[in-house]
Amino acid sequence: MALSIVSKVDDTTKAIITASGADNESGTLYSAGQSVSLANVYYEIRGTGTATLKLGDQSLSLTGFGNWGLKEGEPRKVIEQELNTATTLEITTDANVSKFNMAVEVQKETETK
């Protein structure tokens, strides 16, 4: 199964992307000309493997089914960089992922921490 990526929303404050695929996938889910943070991920990872999202120096490993973000104790993943620096959100899956689906929300940063 090939990696499938669909942009659902891309406005001035956020972007929402859906992605699906299977084992040994890798690719770019979102690329922006400004700093973004990973805010929320709804995910379904089938099999015993792991899907990893990488945003700059931050990474998030996901297994099973669930929701990451927008909950107490789970702050947005923000990378340390200038606001007007290009940002890329990438995904990789290992050989034990039989299939995955996810919806990812990124927030476009407008001020530094």
Side-chain angles (χ1 to χ4, degrees):
M1 172 183 245
L3 182 62
S4 173
I5 303 164
V6 178
S7 176
K8 299 291 186 178
V9 174
D10 194 355
D11 60 25
T12 58
T13 60
K14 70 181 176 290
I16 299 174
I17 306 102
T18 60
S20 61
D23 62 333
N24 296 315
E25 299 279 11
S26 65
T28 299
L29 294 183
Y30 186 74
S31 184
Q34 68 188 87
S35 181
V36 299
S37 61
L38 187 57
N40 196 26
V41 182
Y42 291 97
Y43 59 93
E44 172 187 21
I45 315 298
R46 297 204 177 258
T48 59
T50 302
T52 303
L53 296 175
K54 187 171 191 298
L55 180 67
D57 57 352
Q58 299 281 326
S59 64
L60 177 64
S61 296
L62 304 168
T63 59
F65 304 82
N67 169 261
W68 177 90
L70 299 181
K71 292 183 283 189
E72 187 175 336
E74 292 181 339
R76 291 183 298 155
K77 289 195 176 275
V78 180
I79 59 177
E80 298 293 330
Q81 69 178 32
E82 297 293 321
L83 287 176
N84 293 320
T85 304
T87 306
T88 303
L89 175 64
E90 298 174 341
I91 187 168
T92 57
T93 60
D94 65 29
N96 295 316
V97 173
S98 58
K99 179 180 175 183
F100 76 89
N101 294 296
M102 65 178 59
V104 179
E105 178 182 349
V106 296
Q107 297 288 319
K108 297 180 179 179
E109 298 298 320
T110 57
E111 57 187 57
T112 57
K113 295 192 259 181

